[in-house]
Amino acid sequence: MAAKIYTNKDASLVTLKKKTLAVIGFGSQGHAHALNLKDSGMNVIIGLYAKSKSREVAKKLGFKVMDTAEAVQAADVIFVAVPDTKIAEVYNKDIAPHLVKGKTLLFSHGFAVHFKTIETPEDVNVIMVAPKGPGHTVRSQFVDGKGVPGLIAVHNDADGKAKKIALAWARGVGCTRAGVFETDFREETVTDLFGEQVVLCGGASALVKAGFETLVEAGYQPEMAYFECLHELKLIVDLMNESGIAGMRFSISETAEWGDVSVGPKIINESVKNRMRKQLKEIESGKFAKQWIAEADSGCKNFNQIRKEEAKHQIEKVGERLRSTMSWIKQKKLAKGAAQASYVSASK
């Protein structure tokens, strides 16, 4: 049975019209939700800790900025838009003590609720609105009059209005323009982590680097390796986004298509799928979550070291030089210590 797709006709902004909406955090998703809801006519306030570098950014964008605890007290709907590993600390200190019957807690990812890093009260709605795209894309698509697809989920329906609130929020941020699907916190959390780790981020990055390194080690020019293994990846992904894998294959040469269907399964074979299955089990069991929380609690020493090493990879240096020659690519250099909300992505 096909999943129901919710669109603008299924969601009413009236549900949120007389409510105060607090966005706790002003990073990638937080700033996008806040701006889109504000442009949709909603009353949005921002909750941040006293020394947050995002305070000035939010103020310049016209928002009332409050300390987190004050924003929670003032709000009817509270969107917890802080990193997964920081949610428990912020929640226990500044959110939980001020939750009362009738309020709604909203998340864009189910990590904290599903893996029980926090405990939510029974007399408060607990919902999710998860746009299927990074915050800067959520914002740019909204500004263009479009939207990215999204997910909604209801973990706790304390007053019988949780789903209506979720759909209204999804409309306010633009997701119902593209289509919204209903899920649950477990399914969203597990599939999101699996996709990030195995395909979208971890899998794709590792595949691109492995291909680049193989060509360079065999004596081919790094620039040629970059074009073939990284630059053209976007062209293929765009084709798949537009018309699926079959549509992509229709658009490429027969030589490329034969290489796809005859060689691809040799590279991504059953042994790779077995490792994917193993990683899925580690996500489902909570093993990955425990490891990630432990790494964050230790100050991310290993994580930060890996980041430094990865940034030195030859593909980064070659790519930066080549992209500087591509006038059609709007390069964005990330300033050290800059707030995510101050970054405007070139991606649409």
Side-chain angles (χ1 to χ4, degrees), residues 41-297:
M42 303 297 107
N43 178 30
V44 183
I45 59 176
I46 308 299
L48 294 168
Y49 64 93
K51 295 182 179 180
S52 171
K53 61 191 176 187
S54 295
R55 277 184 171 255
E56 287 306 311
V57 178
K59 288 177 181 177
K60 287 179 181 178
L61 289 170
F63 290 103
K64 180 178 181 180
V65 179
M66 307 169 72
D67 289 341
T68 300
E70 294 176 351
V72 172
Q73 292 178 69
D76 301 293
V77 183
I78 301 105
F79 173 31
V80 185
V82 298
D84 293 328
T85 55
K86 299 291 185 183
I87 286 178
E89 179 186 352
V90 174
Y91 180 81
N92 292 327
K93 178 176 179 286
D94 292 323
I95 298 177
H98 308 292
L99 292 177
V100 296
K101 184 177 180 180
K103 289 184 184 286
T104 297
L105 270 176
L106 187 147
F107 300 85
S108 61
H109 182 37
F111 189 99
V113 173
H114 175 63
F115 290 120
K116 297 181 170 60
T117 65
I118 62 172
E119 292 183 13
T120 56
E122 292 185 3
D123 58 355
V124 168
N125 293 326
V126 181
I127 61 176
M128 182 197 306
V129 177
K132 299 311 293 176
H136 297 99
T137 304
V138 173
R139 178 57 181 164
S140 64
Q141 288 292 295
F142 183 91
V143 171
D144 286 347
K146 305 171 186 176
V148 301
L151 304 175
I152 61 164
V154 176
H155 179 73
N156 189 52
D157 187 4
D159 61 7
K161 300 174 183 177
K163 187 173 179 179
K164 282 187 176 181
I165 294 171
L167 283 169
W169 189 285
R171 178 166 182 168
V173 299
C175 290
T176 53
R177 296 174 179 178
V180 168
F181 301 81
E182 188 168 10
T183 183
D184 58 53
F185 273 61
R186 178 185 182 275
E187 183 176 56
E188 186 278 335
T189 303
V190 171
T191 57
D192 186 77
L193 292 174
F194 179 83
E196 290 171 349
Q197 295 168 24
V198 174
V199 181
L200 306 176
C201 304
S205 297
L207 186 64
V208 166
K209 286 192 301 175
F212 175 88
E213 290 167 1
T214 300
L215 285 174
V216 173
E217 289 164 5
Y220 296 96
Q221 295 182 76
E223 292 78 9
M224 292 299 295
Y226 179 87
F227 277 122
E228 297 302 331
C229 297
L230 191 153
H231 176 74
E232 293 191 29
L233 180 63
K234 180 184 186 302
L235 310 179
I236 297 301
V237 171
D238 283 348
L239 289 172
M240 288 195 287
N241 257 330
E242 291 168 8
S243 51
I245 294 174
M248 176 273 290
R249 288 172 174 163
F250 174 81
S251 298
I252 61 179
S253 71
E254 287 187 340
T255 303
E257 185 179 0
W258 173 242
D260 172 353
V261 300
S262 65
V263 179
K266 297 177 186 178
I267 307 302
I268 308 298
N269 57 19
E270 193 63 24
S271 68
V272 175
K273 282 190 70 177
N274 284 336
R275 290 193 291 278
M276 289 181 173
R277 294 184 184 107
K278 181 182 178 182
Q279 188 56 30
L280 177 58
K281 293 295 183 184
E282 293 196 356
I283 294 168
E284 290 175 330
S285 69
K287 183 177 180 180
F288 168 79
K290 290 177 182 176
Q291 291 173 335
W292 173 221
I293 292 169
E295 174 66 19
D297 288 345

